Amino acid sequence: ARIDAAQQQPVEMDADTIEYNSTSGLMQADGGVRFVQGEAVLTGQSAQYNTQTKEGYVTGGVKAVKDTATLTAPEVRSYGDNHLVASGGDVVLTKDDSRLEGDLVDYYTDKDYAVVPNGGVVTMPDGTMKADYLEAFLKENRAVGKGNVHIISEARKLDATSDQAVYYGGQDGKDGKAVLTGNARAVQDGNVLTGSTLTITMDDKAMTASGRPRLVVAPQDTQETKK
Amino acid sequence: MTKKQYAVIACAVIVLAGGLYYILGGDSASSRQPVSEAGSAVTDKLSYSGSSIIEEHDGKRSWELSAETIEVDPNTKNTTLKNITGTFYRDNGGKIIVTAPQGFIDGTTRDIVLDSQVEAVAEDGATFMAPTVRFNNAEKRYYGTGGVRVTRDDTVLTGDQLESDANMEKIKVSGHAHIIQGGKAQ
């Protein structure tokens, strides 16, 4: 990642002990570490920072907070002021109404853009989307899923799968929408709609399909019992 | 003067010289420079003013301390100094100039303890401050206590205590350790 020196802000560390090698430029902090880089504050058990490459590495129940985003993980690497890579399993990134989970989350704090390359789940007010590869555009409340996409919305009684999907969380839980492409299949209130592309609008439970669409409507009584 | 008188005077000179050598002479591997100025009358304590004590190791100077007053205990060879200016030589050829109101050199280990606010400045601008600093002569390591502060370029490191190599390059601070790099100097 290119590190723009002008962008570089002070780096600060508090800990029980800090070792600093001015020749190699390496800092090692241990015990109750608080590491500040840019506007991100990371806490954990141990931390290393390379003053020459501007790369940090915090381990031990790490929590990173920047503005309204919070990232928790077993370990977090920081690259310059705006790039955090959290890994080690059980990584959770939350920001406002969005929540991203996975083994590894690659988070660009300045753009509020995160990638979950090894598969994960994004949760928005309307529901969740699981996929082999996830991208989250947190500012726009939008997420892209690729590979084995599975969308579930309890509130909308929706269960949909596809090869890829773009999920729009809308604002304040309204205007949510999902566009599923590739072997798209959606089940809502027992009705099943398939096609190569499905567009589902969450509020009014409407679905449009293209590419050999097929709709199977569940008999009325089944729908009643479902309600 | 008769032959006999000449013999007596010669014996007296030999005894005096031997006594001085015994008091000041070092017997360990590192040679210790004799104090450069003759002491005043021999009393319980030999006091030296405006002198310096030099430590060399394998023919290379490790450190030298100058002080307004130096008191050497002839039995233990412990040395007490007042208003000290010291120079510690780094492997890279640089120097660290250290000042302290008072100090103590252990006659056996030649460890140095500098006290009551020690300040050190290296030729590359690095600084180091602590109420008390001990220089372990065998390990060639500094130990600072009482609240330490190290600065180097745009890095400031503070904490309760510090341990550093003789070149002040590898530094460990423990207890409320804090480091800031970049940004305004604290």
Side-chain angles (χ1 to χ4, degrees):
Chain A
R2 194 180 63 78
I3 296 153
D4 182 343
Q7 224 182 10
Q8 205 54 53
Q9 297 189 33
V11 166
E12 222 170 320
M13 274 208 264
D14 292 277
D16 294 343
T17 66
I18 292 177
E19 293 185 55
Y20 175 51
N21 184 325
S22 56
T23 315
S24 62
L26 282 179
M27 296 178 192
Q28 169 73 41
D30 291 294
V33 175
R34 180 174 179 278
F35 172 59
V36 181
Q37 184 167 22
E39 276 121 35
V41 177
L42 291 80
T43 52
Q45 270 318 301
S46 291
Q48 290 164 4
Y49 179 69
N50 187 319
T51 58
Q52 285 157 22
T53 62
K54 311 297 178 194
E55 290 175 16
Y57 177 49
V58 186
T59 59
V62 184
K63 179 176 182 179
V65 177
K66 179 167 183 181
D67 305 329
T68 59
T70 300
L71 183 60
T72 57
E75 52 186 61
V76 174
R77 290 180 187 278
S78 66
Y79 300 91
D81 279 355
N82 301 306
H83 186 193
L84 299 174
V85 178
S87 58
D90 292 338
V91 176
V92 178
L93 168 63
T94 59
K95 172 149 177 128
D96 305 327
D97 292 339
S98 305
R99 176 188 171 93
L100 209 51
E101 295 164 79
D103 280 351
L104 184 146
V105 174
D106 194 346
Y107 179 40
Y108 294 82
T109 58
D110 52 344
K111 299 178 207 116
D112 265 334
Y113 165 69
V115 181
V116 188
N118 307 336
V121 179
V122 59
T123 304
M124 292 196 195
D126 269 321
T128 65
M129 173 162 72
K130 187 175 178 189
D132 295 343
Y133 180 92
L134 275 171
E135 288 177 275
F137 302 81
L138 299 167
K139 273 183 186 149
E140 305 157 29
N141 220 359
R142 173 169 67 96
V144 175
K146 295 169 184 168
N148 296 306
V149 173
H150 187 188
I151 294 176
I152 297 173
S153 170
E154 301 283 351
R156 320 289 176 189
K157 296 194 181 64
L158 166 74
D159 186 307
T161 57
S162 63
D163 297 338
Q164 299 190 44
V166 181
Y167 188 111
Y168 301 87
Q171 289 306 326
D172 309 328
K174 290 199 197 66
D175 308 329
K177 181 173 82 168
V179 179
L180 288 72
T181 49
N183 302 303
R185 181 178 188 277
V187 180
Q188 193 164 44
D189 291 335
N191 306 318
V192 179
L193 181 62
T194 58
S196 63
T197 302
L198 294 187
T199 303
I200 305 165
T201 48
M202 301 294 190
D203 291 350
D204 47 22
K205 291 192 183 176
M207 291 201 259
T208 57
S210 61
R212 286 182 286 107
R214 188 161 169 273
L215 174 63
V216 178
V217 181
Q220 202 52 36
D221 50 353
T222 340
Q223 284 193 14
E224 287 312 325
T225 49
K226 279 253 181 316
K227 281 203 179 95
Chain B
M1 267 211 259
T2 64
K3 265 188 187 163
K4 199 175 176 196
Q5 282 168 328
Y6 275 119
V8 166
I9 289 167
C11 286
V13 166
I14 290 167
V15 165
L16 188 66
L20 259 181
Y21 177 76
Y22 171 71
I23 288 171
L24 297 172
D27 44 16
S28 69
S30 56
S31 71
R32 178 169 161 183
Q33 286 273 7
V35 174
S36 55
E37 200 175 325
S40 54
V42 177
T43 63
D44 274 355
K45 269 190 187 135
L46 290 170
S47 289
Y48 298 84
S49 55
S51 305
S52 57
I53 298 178
I54 297 163
E55 171 78 10
E56 287 183 354
H57 200 68
D58 301 339
K60 205 169 144 229
R61 193 163 290 200
S62 287
W63 50 261
E64 60 186 276
L65 292 182
S66 304
E68 270 176 23
T69 64
I70 301 175
E71 290 181 12
V72 182
D73 180 324
N75 305 316
T76 61
K77 288 200 205 162
N78 291 340
T79 307
T80 306
L81 308 94
K82 290 262 187 291
N83 293 329
I84 300 149
T85 299
T87 304
F88 288 75
Y89 295 90
R90 304 166 97 178
D91 296 342
N92 61 7
K95 293 178 191 172
I96 299 171
I97 307 299
V98 180
T99 57
Q102 58 190 25
F104 170 82
I105 305 175
D106 183 299
T108 313
T109 61
R110 257 193 304 293
D111 283 5
I112 302 168
V113 176
L114 299 175
D115 223 1
S116 321
Q117 202 47 37
V118 183
E119 295 188 10
V121 182
E123 87 293 336
D124 57 9
T127 68
F128 158 37
M129 281 188 275
T132 303
V133 172
R134 182 169 62 88
F135 179 72
N136 183 309
N137 200 46
E139 297 170 0
K140 298 290 185 247
R141 291 187 71 79
Y142 298 105
Y143 295 88
T145 54
V148 299
R149 175 186 165 85
V150 180
T151 67
R152 172 186 291 280
D153 303 325
D154 62 353
T155 302
V156 180
L157 179 53
T158 55
D160 296 344
Q161 48 206 13
L162 166 144
E163 181 183 329
S164 162
D165 64 334
N167 296 319
M168 259 172 59
E169 282 166 355
K170 297 187 180 78
I171 297 166
K172 176 173 181 177
V173 167
S174 41
H176 305 93
H178 175 80
I179 190 165
I180 180 163
Q181 197 223 38
K184 293 179 291 306
Q186 304 298 291

